[in-house]
Amino acid sequence: MSERLAPTTTPDTKFFWDALKDGKLLIQRCKGCQTLRHPPRPMCPRCNALTWDTIEASGKGEVYSFVLPRHPRWPWFDETYVVALVQLEEGVRIVSNLNDVDAADVTIGMPVEAYVEHFDNVSLPQFRPRRNA
Amino acid sequence: MSRSLAGKAAIAGIGQTEFSKASGRSELQLACESIKSALDDAGLAPRDVDGMVTFTMDSSEECEVARNLGIPALRYFSRTTYGGGGSCAVVMHAAMAVATGAADVVVCWRAFNERSGMRFGGAAMQGASMLPPFLDMYGPYGLLTPASWVAMQARRYMHEYGATNEHFGRIAVVDRKHAANNPGAWFYQRPITLEDHQSSRWIVEPVLRLLDCCQESDGGVAVVVTTPERARDLKQKPAVIRAAAQGAYDDGEMCTSYYRDDVAGLPEMAVVGNKLWKDSGLKPSDIQTAFLYDHFTPFVLVQLEELGFCKRGEAKDFATVERLSIGGELPINTSGGLLGEAYIHGMNGLTECVRQIRGTSVNQVPGVEHALVTAGTGCPTSGLILGSS
Ligand SMILES: [Zn+2]
């Protein structure tokens, strides 16, 4: 079994989770002023436009902050897991996990790359150290 | 006439239940007991009450509280949002009500079984299969507790300013030192050393150890707010509202404001602080003691910066045990705070500052003219300055 707690998608976030099922990490873009935004929301705070489209993230980013939750333990995670706040090169930040790395080697500023992992109940973006960084 | 709340309302009574890990009674009963205790303290009767403010998270209905206490008519009732972020906002709402004449005597309370009942620390998620929408972007990755939400932001603060977990530990030492002298505190006569702090287990590495995290408690706390004129005729020396403010800031979330250019600060508290200083005409050096909401120690340091007690990034040097303890330049959390006394969502810090104004704290600071109180941080928040006149 490989599951995660699944998001309760809303009409504002459905596109984001649906795209992940197809292996794509999308960033919302305002059609009025082209500003990118994450997490998804209905209105652009810059120009108040309600129309938007998306771009596919390159997946390249850097660790902006990270923590190792130790307590309580959860059935969905190993004893040690890294939760990172990643700054994507497009300019927005996203919370995710950082895998394929010893927790002791994680640093702020570390180059990382996204991939999509298909769990039994949900598809999620995940990150790992960037190869050929 | 100045358009502020300065001098237009006062806290005339404070009350509480015992603070425990298992109250053995309903949250409604805790609410009623704490309100009755606050009214007794003020020298008022339930029939004098015509207003109520509590937290949106509080489980006790206004009409149920009124029917238990025997409060005949309510003219004003409201609730404040964002959990502990509203612990000073309740008094602000009450003060606005009495200042405008919407009500004359307003009770504010928070009462819960946060330890023996529904705990905030994440236990409720253990059997969950779906997330509440506000956790959609965090829960799937295992960021499931208030400690972890706060730690992600505090980790960035550590990175930018060189603060360490040991710096945070000094807040825990101060709180436990004050609690050790407070018979009502859970950790009465149980002070800790920085070594104890440093050897406690990680809750969220490398930010929060066990002793950086507040307690979980059962209990109730209430205050009575009325006009300064009426308060002066009652039993206790009034704690006058010199300023009261709520604060939220651009691109914020409930506890996960990770998307601003600057993640290392608490701009909500700057919004509050700026308004408090402006309306009161006071400055940080005019404050003799403060309760700085201490659900997690790192944000006490950030609050010291956002409120102007020291500059950005300098709290790690400013926040020494000596300076923040009784006898120091700025004693904080003199009842022991949420770490040492109890976690009643910040309301017990508010009542301690009222005792400081009255001169009745077990850890009394000499000559308190102004005390500053803050509410839960990392989320939209609130604050108060109380004065002896
Ligand atoms: Zn726009």
Side-chain angles (χ1 to χ4, degrees), chain A residues 94-106:
Chain A
I94 182 171
V95 168
S96 181
N97 298 112
L98 183 53
N99 304 317
D100 303 337
V101 62
D102 189 323
D105 295 334
V106 180

PDB file of all heavy atoms in Angstrom, chain A residues 94-106:
ATOM      1  N   ILE A  94       6.174  26.195  -3.679  1.00  0.00           N
ATOM      2  CA  ILE A  94       5.263  25.076  -3.470  1.00  0.00           C
ATOM      3  C   ILE A  94       5.819  24.188  -2.362  1.00  0.00           C
ATOM      4  O   ILE A  94       7.031  23.995  -2.271  1.00  0.00           O
ATOM      5  CB  ILE A  94       5.067  24.283  -4.796  1.00  0.00           C
ATOM      6  CG1 ILE A  94       4.076  23.140  -4.602  1.00  0.00           C
ATOM      7  CG2 ILE A  94       6.397  23.766  -5.339  1.00  0.00           C
ATOM      8  CD1 ILE A  94       3.679  22.471  -5.929  1.00  0.00           C
ATOM      9  N   VAL A  95       4.931  23.678  -1.525  1.00  0.00           N
ATOM     10  CA  VAL A  95       5.333  22.710  -0.490  1.00  0.00           C
ATOM     11  C   VAL A  95       5.245  21.313  -1.067  1.00  0.00           C
ATOM     12  O   VAL A  95       4.282  20.966  -1.759  1.00  0.00           O
ATOM     13  CB  VAL A  95       4.436  22.835   0.761  1.00  0.00           C
ATOM     14  CG1 VAL A  95       4.650  21.651   1.706  1.00  0.00           C
ATOM     15  CG2 VAL A  95       4.725  24.144   1.494  1.00  0.00           C
ATOM     16  N   SER A  96       6.247  20.504  -0.791  1.00  0.00           N
ATOM     17  CA  SER A  96       6.267  19.134  -1.279  1.00  0.00           C
ATOM     18  C   SER A  96       7.252  18.326  -0.433  1.00  0.00           C
ATOM     19  O   SER A  96       7.706  18.793   0.607  1.00  0.00           O
ATOM     20  CB  SER A  96       6.679  19.108  -2.757  1.00  0.00           C
ATOM     21  OG  SER A  96       6.689  17.791  -3.251  1.00  0.00           O
ATOM     22  N   ASN A  97       7.563  17.119  -0.887  1.00  0.00           N
ATOM     23  CA  ASN A  97       8.577  16.310  -0.224  1.00  0.00           C
ATOM     24  C   ASN A  97       9.848  16.305  -1.040  1.00  0.00           C
ATOM     25  O   ASN A  97       9.821  16.469  -2.260  1.00  0.00           O
ATOM     26  CB  ASN A  97       8.094  14.869  -0.063  1.00  0.00           C
ATOM     27  CG  ASN A  97       6.865  14.781   0.799  1.00  0.00           C
ATOM     28  OD1 ASN A  97       5.782  14.451   0.326  1.00  0.00           O
ATOM     29  ND2 ASN A  97       7.018  15.111   2.068  1.00  0.00           N
ATOM     30  N   LEU A  98      10.960  16.132  -0.354  1.00  0.00           N
ATOM     31  CA  LEU A  98      12.258  16.008  -1.002  1.00  0.00           C
ATOM     32  C   LEU A  98      12.755  14.593  -0.736  1.00  0.00           C
ATOM     33  O   LEU A  98      12.954  14.212   0.424  1.00  0.00           O
ATOM     34  CB  LEU A  98      13.205  17.072  -0.447  1.00  0.00           C
ATOM     35  CG  LEU A  98      14.594  17.152  -1.051  1.00  0.00           C
ATOM     36  CD1 LEU A  98      14.543  17.270  -2.572  1.00  0.00           C
ATOM     37  CD2 LEU A  98      15.338  18.338  -0.458  1.00  0.00           C
ATOM     38  N   ASN A  99      12.907  13.828  -1.798  1.00  0.00           N
ATOM     39  CA  ASN A  99      13.250  12.407  -1.678  1.00  0.00           C
ATOM     40  C   ASN A  99      14.627  12.125  -2.288  1.00  0.00           C
ATOM     41  O   ASN A  99      15.261  13.018  -2.842  1.00  0.00           O
ATOM     42  CB  ASN A  99      12.187  11.559  -2.388  1.00  0.00           C
ATOM     43  CG  ASN A  99      10.787  11.844  -1.864  1.00  0.00           C
ATOM     44  OD1 ASN A  99      10.596  11.966  -0.657  1.00  0.00           O
ATOM     45  ND2 ASN A  99       9.835  11.978  -2.760  1.00  0.00           N
ATOM     46  N   ASP A 100      15.046  10.879  -2.197  1.00  0.00           N
ATOM     47  CA  ASP A 100      16.320  10.425  -2.785  1.00  0.00           C
ATOM     48  C   ASP A 100      17.509  11.223  -2.270  1.00  0.00           C
ATOM     49  O   ASP A 100      18.446  11.514  -3.022  1.00  0.00           O
ATOM     50  CB  ASP A 100      16.292  10.512  -4.331  1.00  0.00           C
ATOM     51  CG  ASP A 100      15.139   9.720  -4.911  1.00  0.00           C
ATOM     52  OD1 ASP A 100      14.655   8.802  -4.220  1.00  0.00           O
ATOM     53  OD2 ASP A 100      14.718  10.023  -6.038  1.00  0.00           O
ATOM     54  N   VAL A 101      17.476  11.592  -1.009  1.00  0.00           N
ATOM     55  CA  VAL A 101      18.578  12.347  -0.426  1.00  0.00           C
ATOM     56  C   VAL A 101      18.620  12.046   1.071  1.00  0.00           C
ATOM     57  O   VAL A 101      17.578  11.832   1.696  1.00  0.00           O
ATOM     58  CB  VAL A 101      18.414  13.860  -0.685  1.00  0.00           C
ATOM     59  CG1 VAL A 101      17.138  14.395  -0.048  1.00  0.00           C
ATOM     60  CG2 VAL A 101      19.620  14.651  -0.199  1.00  0.00           C
ATOM     61  N   ASP A 102      19.820  11.990   1.611  1.00  0.00           N
ATOM     62  CA  ASP A 102      19.980  11.849   3.055  1.00  0.00           C
ATOM     63  C   ASP A 102      19.552  13.166   3.701  1.00  0.00           C
ATOM     64  O   ASP A 102      20.026  14.237   3.300  1.00  0.00           O
ATOM     65  CB  ASP A 102      21.450  11.547   3.368  1.00  0.00           C
ATOM     66  CG  ASP A 102      21.653  11.176   4.834  1.00  0.00           C
ATOM     67  OD1 ASP A 102      20.977  11.775   5.704  1.00  0.00           O
ATOM     68  OD2 ASP A 102      22.486  10.300   5.102  1.00  0.00           O
ATOM     69  N   ALA A 103      18.672  13.093   4.682  1.00  0.00           N
ATOM     70  CA  ALA A 103      18.147  14.315   5.304  1.00  0.00           C
ATOM     71  C   ALA A 103      19.277  15.218   5.789  1.00  0.00           C
ATOM     72  O   ALA A 103      19.155  16.450   5.750  1.00  0.00           O
ATOM     73  CB  ALA A 103      17.218  13.961   6.456  1.00  0.00           C
ATOM     74  N   ALA A 104      20.374  14.628   6.212  1.00  0.00           N
ATOM     75  CA  ALA A 104      21.496  15.431   6.726  1.00  0.00           C
ATOM     76  C   ALA A 104      22.163  16.240   5.621  1.00  0.00           C
ATOM     77  O   ALA A 104      22.910  17.186   5.897  1.00  0.00           O
ATOM     78  CB  ALA A 104      22.522  14.525   7.399  1.00  0.00           C
ATOM     79  N   ASP A 105      21.918  15.884   4.379  1.00  0.00           N
ATOM     80  CA  ASP A 105      22.559  16.582   3.259  1.00  0.00           C
ATOM     81  C   ASP A 105      21.688  17.686   2.667  1.00  0.00           C
ATOM     82  O   ASP A 105      22.094  18.370   1.723  1.00  0.00           O
ATOM     83  CB  ASP A 105      22.910  15.580   2.144  1.00  0.00           C
ATOM     84  CG  ASP A 105      23.967  14.580   2.596  1.00  0.00           C
ATOM     85  OD1 ASP A 105      24.750  14.935   3.513  1.00  0.00           O
ATOM     86  OD2 ASP A 105      23.989  13.457   2.062  1.00  0.00           O
ATOM     87  N   VAL A 106      20.474  17.849   3.161  1.00  0.00           N
ATOM     88  CA  VAL A 106      19.576  18.865   2.608  1.00  0.00           C
ATOM     89  C   VAL A 106      20.006  20.244   3.109  1.00  0.00           C
ATOM     90  O   VAL A 106      20.292  20.427   4.295  1.00  0.00           O
ATOM     91  CB  VAL A 106      18.116  18.603   3.025  1.00  0.00           C
ATOM     92  CG1 VAL A 106      17.198  19.675   2.437  1.00  0.00           C
ATOM     93  CG2 VAL A 106      17.673  17.224   2.556  1.00  0.00           C
TER      94      VAL A 106
END
